[in-house]
Amino acid sequence: MAAAPSASPAYRRILLKLSGEALMGEDAYGINREIVDRICAEIRDVVSAGSQVAIVVGAGNIFRGMNADGLDRATADYMGMLGTVMNALALQSALEGLGVPARAQSAIPMAPVIDSYDRHRAIAHLEQGRVVVFGGGTGNPFFTTDTAASLRGLEINADIVVKATKVDGVYDRDPVRHPDAVRYDVLSYDEVEEQ
Ligand code: UDP
């Protein structure tokens, strides 16, 4: 069981965006159980500290390992969204395995596999101390799970949206391919538009 919430956490309601690749660790693709358990243990600690946690999960660990060449974009995107549903189920299961009550919801209705997205029910789950895992992205092709994270963050009135990825900040270029890429400490919206 998760410990009883403590007095006043820094953020009452957190939306965590987890990229699919965060779930595969050093593996080439897929879900690394050890990594998933480690992430879920950290989430348990955040919940124990009194914060409500909702997660939007990506699918890079499943979808980038597949060859979707030659498929039309919308079909490939729907396949990507199905990957996020798989990750959402894996997170729900791992959290519950650690004694953290969790509910996964999908933007694409898929009974009996997973609950459908329901904003009111998601907020009620959070208020009752359950972690809510949003799968299926926005439910629309031509979007990404980063968009879904912003959208769900606004819908549930999150105090903060946190993005967990392999990269430690925003760079002027891809830091994996360009070792001389420069990291921004602070970046304004106008600078993003300009550059
Ligand atoms: N996707 C989509 N609509 C959405 C969210 C995701 O079509 O609202 C598809 C898209 O193909 C995307 C894939 O699902 O590439 C996986 O999401 P994303 O690339 O954001 O995952 P991450 O990089 O965070 O693992």
Side-chain angles (χ1 to χ4, degrees):
M1 281 294 289
S6 67
S8 50
Y11 298 105
R12 192 181 64 94
R13 185 170 292 162
I14 299 166
L15 188 294
L16 171 65
K17 157 71 208 291
L18 273 179
S19 76
E21 281 165 355
L23 307 183
M24 69 188 196
E26 296 302 314
D27 299 346
Y29 63 89
I31 299 167
N32 181 308
R33 193 54 210 256
E34 217 173 290
I35 295 287
V36 169
D37 278 347
R38 200 188 304 161
I39 292 170
C40 290
E42 289 189 20
I43 293 166
R44 178 186 56 195
D45 293 346
V46 175
V47 173
S48 297
S51 292
Q52 299 173 10
V53 180
I55 302 169
V56 167
V57 67
N61 57 322
I62 294 169
F63 199 56
R64 257 159 232 136
M66 279 173 33
N67 188 354
D69 289 353
L71 299 179
D72 66 277
R73 171 74 191 267
T75 301
D77 281 348
Y78 278 117
M79 291 166 71
M81 287 184 261
L82 291 177
T84 72
V85 170
M86 288 201 247
N87 284 334
L89 290 172
L91 285 169
Q92 173 184 249
S93 171
L95 284 162
E96 297 237 296
L98 291 175
V100 185
R103 295 288 186 278
Q105 293 191 347
S106 168
I108 302 168
M110 219 183 287
V113 176
I114 183 170
D115 290 348
S116 294
Y117 174 63
D118 182 315
R119 179 173 162 265
H120 287 112
R121 204 170 280 174
I123 290 172
H125 285 319
L126 290 168
E127 283 170 348
Q128 284 161 33
R130 300 186 191 110
V131 173
V132 179
V133 189
F134 295 119
T138 64
N140 302 288
F142 304 99
F143 287 94
T144 68
T145 46
D146 282 359
T147 313
S150 309
L151 176 66
R152 297 292 183 241
L154 287 168
E155 286 185 280
I156 64 167
N157 202 17
D159 298 312
I160 186 169
V161 174
V162 184
K163 179 172 162 159
T165 93
K166 289 199 301 190
V167 185
D168 66 350
V170 180
Y171 288 78
D172 62 345
R173 279 170 293 169
D174 181 346
V176 178
R177 277 186 282 164
H178 304 277
D180 58 339
V182 178
R183 197 179 81 180
Y184 295 101
D185 289 330
V186 178
L187 193 58
S188 72
Y189 184 82
D190 289 341
E191 283 166 340
V192 172
E193 277 219 316
E194 271 166 35
Q195 294 174 38

